[in-house]
Amino acid sequence: MNAISSREGRFDSDGLSLRYVEWGPADGPVLILLHGLRSYAHTWEPVALPLAGRWRVVALDQRGRGDSDWDPGRHYYAGDYVRDLEALVRHLGVERFVLGGHSMGGANAFVYATRHPEQLIAMVIEDMGPGASAASGGAERIKRELLATPDQFDSWDAAEAFWRSHRPNISEAALQSRLAYSLRQAPDGAIVWKHDARGIAAARLGATNEQLIDLWPHVDVISMPTLLLRGAQSDFLSAATADDMVERNALLTRVDIANAGHYVHDDNLPDFNAALYPFLDGLIS
């Protein structure tokens, strides 16, 4: 499985050069994956590799993250991310695909699905739903984390300790991925963020309710099969909201993943994949 290599590509959106990573056959059914607020394309690698014998899995470094350009205007809101996704789809030349997203990426997926329902075979939403970004315990936790996040660390050990303190349930493999892809060593030896930490924090902390997007109108009109994967211990998407989502739209199927919080595939990859793969297999079998 690890012998499967990834490919990288770039495209332009709003004058920014954005990077994506893909695995699997170029002529396979397409699964596009969107990461969360402070994440990166390669967070999806352990999800993508077992699929790569059959699926073309494409993961985007959303603007300001990974190896994509930072936005000098700090335009880090759903409308901006959705334009980037539209540009990626045009660049790839795909007509129909499955769209997945975690947290912020899930919100972007909901908005895209409303604008382009004819393009989507299905969706996979990881721990995101209406009100979660604005009024959940997890949203308040994330705000506290943004305010408490240092610009740099003196050592890799200090960076690792930071991630362990903020992600107590994270697997060792996911932790090492975060160290490898969310941080880099500056010329002066300091360990600094690869993402636009200040710009992203400013946008998130200063976001209005309109900029955060009311997802209920999007959930209500979803017209394609959608798998909602919720962390059973999530402080972000409540069980009550997830219940309401599937009650209001029969095309949503909810699965709670045990021993996982908001960062579901980081916390419990085996159970996440065990829920995801049969859903995807059912789309192309």
Side-chain angles (χ1 to χ4, degrees):
M1 178 166 45
N2 290 330
I4 298 173
S5 60
S6 62
R7 306 180 297 277
E8 297 185 12
R10 302 193 74 88
F11 66 100
D12 291 333
S13 179
D14 288 355
L16 304 175
S17 175
L18 306 183
R19 174 247 202 179
Y20 63 93
V21 182
E22 61 177 303
W23 301 263
D27 61 350
V30 177
L31 169 63
I32 297 178
L33 295 171
L34 306 174
H35 61 69
L37 184 70
R38 292 166 289 175
S39 201
Y40 47 87
H42 267 96
T43 186
W44 294 112
E45 184 170 45
V47 176
L49 284 175
L51 294 169
R54 192 173 186 189
W55 286 80
R56 180 186 183 187
V57 184
V58 181
L60 174 63
D61 271 336
Q62 299 193 79
R63 62 171 64 194
R65 284 84 166 176
D67 290 329
S68 288
D69 284 353
W70 294 8
D71 186 333
R74 295 180 171 178
H75 298 129
Y76 296 123
Y77 300 105
D80 309 302
Y81 298 125
V82 172
R83 284 197 308 279
D84 295 342
L85 177 55
E86 290 168 339
L88 172 62
V89 172
R90 288 194 299 271
H91 172 78
L92 295 173
V94 297
E95 295 182 358
R96 296 265 290 163
F97 60 97
V98 179
L99 178 60
H102 170 237
S103 194
M104 178 195 79
N108 300 339
F110 274 124
V111 176
Y112 188 92
T114 303
R115 294 187 186 179
H116 304 283
E118 74 288 350
Q119 292 185 322
L120 297 186
I121 299 167
M123 281 203 302
V124 179
I125 304 296
E126 180 181 348
D127 215 68
M128 186 61 182
S133 292
S136 68
E140 293 305 311
R141 170 183 55 76
I142 289 169
K143 289 179 182 179
R144 292 192 300 271
E145 289 179 1
L146 290 171
L147 289 169
T149 297
D151 290 335
Q152 62 183 48
F153 303 94
D154 294 334
S155 67
W156 285 105
D157 286 345
E160 180 174 342
F162 169 87
W163 273 124
R164 286 191 184 279
S165 68
H166 283 257
R167 301 284 181 273
N169 296 323
I170 195 170
S171 69
E172 184 63 28
L175 173 62
Q176 294 307 314
S177 173
R178 293 221 161 243
L179 293 173
Y181 293 110
S182 70
L183 294 155
R184 63 179 177 84
Q185 190 160 24
D188 65 0
I191 310 303
V192 299
W193 298 108
K194 289 190 71 175
H195 61 266
D196 182 7
R198 288 189 178 186
I200 291 165
R204 180 65 181 82
L205 294 170
T208 64
N209 286 336
E210 290 75 19
Q211 287 169 324
L212 289 174
I213 303 293
D214 178 8
L215 290 180
W216 278 124
H218 300 278
V219 170
D220 288 341
V221 300
I222 289 302
S223 58
M224 66 288 303
T226 298
L227 177 63
L228 177 64
L229 296 174
R230 175 183 174 270
Q233 299 168 357
S234 177
D235 62 357
F236 195 78
L237 177 60
S238 70
T241 297
D243 285 341
D244 289 343
M245 292 169 70
V246 297
E247 182 175 341
R248 289 172 65 151
N249 193 320
L251 288 173
L252 273 71
T253 299
R254 168 189 170 188
V255 177
D256 283 13
I257 305 300
N259 302 313
H262 176 51
Y263 308 91
V264 188
H265 74 271
D266 275 358
D267 292 351
N268 187 348
L269 179 68
D271 285 358
F272 180 92
N273 285 349
L276 172 63
Y277 295 164
F279 176 76
L280 294 177
D281 285 344
L283 300 173
I284 59 174
S285 59

